[in-house]
PDB file of all heavy atoms in Angstrom:
ATOM      1  N   GLU A 566       2.594   5.650  -6.103  1.00 79.00           N
ATOM      2  CA  GLU A 566       3.565   5.559  -7.232  1.00 79.00           C
ATOM      3  C   GLU A 566       3.097   4.678  -8.350  1.00 79.00           C
ATOM      4  O   GLU A 566       3.295   5.033  -9.496  1.00 79.00           O
ATOM      5  CB  GLU A 566       4.898   4.980  -6.567  1.00 79.00           C
ATOM      6  CG  GLU A 566       6.022   5.067  -7.583  1.00 79.00           C
ATOM      7  CD  GLU A 566       7.296   4.565  -7.004  1.00 79.00           C
ATOM      8  OE1 GLU A 566       7.594   4.754  -5.740  1.00 79.00           O
ATOM      9  OE2 GLU A 566       8.058   3.897  -7.647  1.00 79.00           O
ATOM     10  N   ALA A 567       2.411   3.533  -7.974  1.00 76.00           N
ATOM     11  CA  ALA A 567       1.937   2.624  -8.985  1.00 76.00           C
ATOM     12  C   ALA A 567       0.801   3.329  -9.805  1.00 76.00           C
ATOM     13  O   ALA A 567       0.745   3.115 -11.016  1.00 76.00           O
ATOM     14  CB  ALA A 567       1.414   1.341  -8.366  1.00 76.00           C
ATOM     15  N   LEU A 568      -0.064   4.069  -9.082  1.00 78.00           N
ATOM     16  CA  LEU A 568      -1.103   4.705  -9.761  1.00 78.00           C
ATOM     17  C   LEU A 568      -0.577   5.812 -10.735  1.00 78.00           C
ATOM     18  O   LEU A 568      -1.062   5.970 -11.787  1.00 78.00           O
ATOM     19  CB  LEU A 568      -2.043   5.440  -8.779  1.00 78.00           C
ATOM     20  CG  LEU A 568      -3.060   4.403  -8.065  1.00 78.00           C
ATOM     21  CD1 LEU A 568      -3.772   5.164  -6.972  1.00 78.00           C
ATOM     22  CD2 LEU A 568      -4.089   3.859  -9.075  1.00 78.00           C
ATOM     23  N   SER A 569       0.398   6.528 -10.232  1.00 80.00           N
ATOM     24  CA  SER A 569       1.022   7.599 -11.081  1.00 80.00           C
ATOM     25  C   SER A 569       1.715   6.934 -12.272  1.00 80.00           C
ATOM     26  O   SER A 569       1.594   7.469 -13.401  1.00 80.00           O
ATOM     27  CB  SER A 569       2.140   8.334 -10.178  1.00 80.00           C
ATOM     28  OG  SER A 569       2.721   9.249 -11.014  1.00 80.00           O
ATOM     29  N   MET A 570       2.404   5.909 -12.111  1.00 79.00           N
ATOM     30  CA  MET A 570       3.004   5.107 -13.233  1.00 79.00           C
ATOM     31  C   MET A 570       1.995   4.605 -14.216  1.00 79.00           C
ATOM     32  O   MET A 570       2.150   4.769 -15.359  1.00 79.00           O
ATOM     33  CB  MET A 570       3.963   4.004 -12.737  1.00 79.00           C
ATOM     34  CG  MET A 570       4.599   3.235 -13.782  1.00 79.00           C
ATOM     35  SD  MET A 570       5.815   4.246 -14.728  1.00 79.00           S
ATOM     36  CE  MET A 570       7.079   4.292 -13.558  1.00 79.00           C
ATOM     37  N   GLY A 571       0.882   4.116 -13.675  1.00 80.00           N
ATOM     38  CA  GLY A 571      -0.204   3.639 -14.527  1.00 80.00           C
ATOM     39  C   GLY A 571      -0.815   4.764 -15.315  1.00 80.00           C
ATOM     40  O   GLY A 571      -1.100   4.566 -16.513  1.00 80.00           O
ATOM     41  N   ALA A 572      -1.042   5.917 -14.621  1.00 80.00           N
ATOM     42  CA  ALA A 572      -1.600   7.011 -15.440  1.00 80.00           C
ATOM     43  C   ALA A 572      -0.661   7.535 -16.422  1.00 80.00           C
ATOM     44  O   ALA A 572      -1.136   7.888 -17.623  1.00 80.00           O
ATOM     45  CB  ALA A 572      -1.905   8.199 -14.407  1.00 80.00           C
ATOM     46  N   TRP A 573       0.634   7.559 -16.196  1.00 77.00           N
ATOM     47  CA  TRP A 573       1.646   7.945 -17.182  1.00 77.00           C
ATOM     48  C   TRP A 573       1.604   7.003 -18.301  1.00 77.00           C
ATOM     49  O   TRP A 573       1.669   7.420 -19.497  1.00 77.00           O
ATOM     50  CB  TRP A 573       2.977   8.033 -16.485  1.00 77.00           C
ATOM     51  CG  TRP A 573       4.148   8.497 -17.425  1.00 77.00           C
ATOM     52  CD1 TRP A 573       4.334   9.738 -17.881  1.00 77.00           C
ATOM     53  CD2 TRP A 573       5.000   7.574 -18.084  1.00 77.00           C
ATOM     54  NE1 TRP A 573       5.396   9.664 -18.799  1.00 77.00           N
ATOM     55  CE2 TRP A 573       5.730   8.416 -18.927  1.00 77.00           C
ATOM     56  CE3 TRP A 573       5.246   6.178 -18.103  1.00 77.00           C
ATOM     57  CZ2 TRP A 573       6.888   7.821 -19.770  1.00 77.00           C
ATOM     58  CZ3 TRP A 573       6.257   5.683 -18.919  1.00 77.00           C
ATOM     59  CH2 TRP A 573       7.078   6.520 -19.679  1.00 77.00           C
ATOM     60  N   LEU A 574       1.533   5.690 -18.080  1.00 78.00           N
ATOM     61  CA  LEU A 574       1.581   4.725 -19.122  1.00 78.00           C
ATOM     62  C   LEU A 574       0.349   4.863 -20.075  1.00 78.00           C
ATOM     63  O   LEU A 574       0.346   4.745 -21.303  1.00 78.00           O
ATOM     64  CB  LEU A 574       1.775   3.328 -18.620  1.00 78.00           C
ATOM     65  CG  LEU A 574       3.100   2.980 -18.076  1.00 78.00           C
ATOM     66  CD1 LEU A 574       3.019   1.590 -17.348  1.00 78.00           C
ATOM     67  CD2 LEU A 574       4.181   2.974 -19.191  1.00 78.00           C
ATOM     68  N   ALA A 575      -0.840   5.103 -19.410  1.00 80.00           N
ATOM     69  CA  ALA A 575      -2.050   5.228 -20.097  1.00 80.00           C
ATOM     70  C   ALA A 575      -2.019   6.424 -21.042  1.00 80.00           C
ATOM     71  O   ALA A 575      -2.416   6.427 -22.194  1.00 80.00           O
ATOM     72  CB  ALA A 575      -3.197   5.332 -19.142  1.00 80.00           C
ATOM     73  N   THR A 576      -1.496   7.562 -20.477  1.00 79.00           N
ATOM     74  CA  THR A 576      -1.318   8.784 -21.257  1.00 79.00           C
ATOM     75  C   THR A 576      -0.347   8.554 -22.482  1.00 79.00           C
ATOM     76  O   THR A 576      -0.637   8.950 -23.696  1.00 79.00           O
ATOM     77  CB  THR A 576      -0.794   9.926 -20.344  1.00 79.00           C
ATOM     78  OG1 THR A 576      -1.601  10.121 -19.253  1.00 79.00           O
ATOM     79  CG2 THR A 576      -0.575  11.231 -21.162  1.00 79.00           C
ATOM     80  N   LEU A 577       0.700   7.867 -22.209  1.00 74.00           N
ATOM     81  CA  LEU A 577       1.670   7.554 -23.271  1.00 74.00           C
ATOM     82  C   LEU A 577       1.089   6.698 -24.371  1.00 74.00           C
ATOM     83  O   LEU A 577       1.215   6.966 -25.583  1.00 74.00           O
ATOM     84  CB  LEU A 577       2.926   6.876 -22.713  1.00 74.00           C
ATOM     85  CG  LEU A 577       4.031   6.448 -23.599  1.00 74.00           C
ATOM     86  CD1 LEU A 577       4.635   7.835 -24.203  1.00 74.00           C
ATOM     87  CD2 LEU A 577       5.183   5.688 -22.919  1.00 74.00           C
TER      88      LEU A 577
END
Side-chain angles (χ1 to χ4, degrees):
E566 188 178 322
L568 285 172
S569 176
M570 181 63 78
W573 179 78
L574 288 172
T576 301
L577 183 62

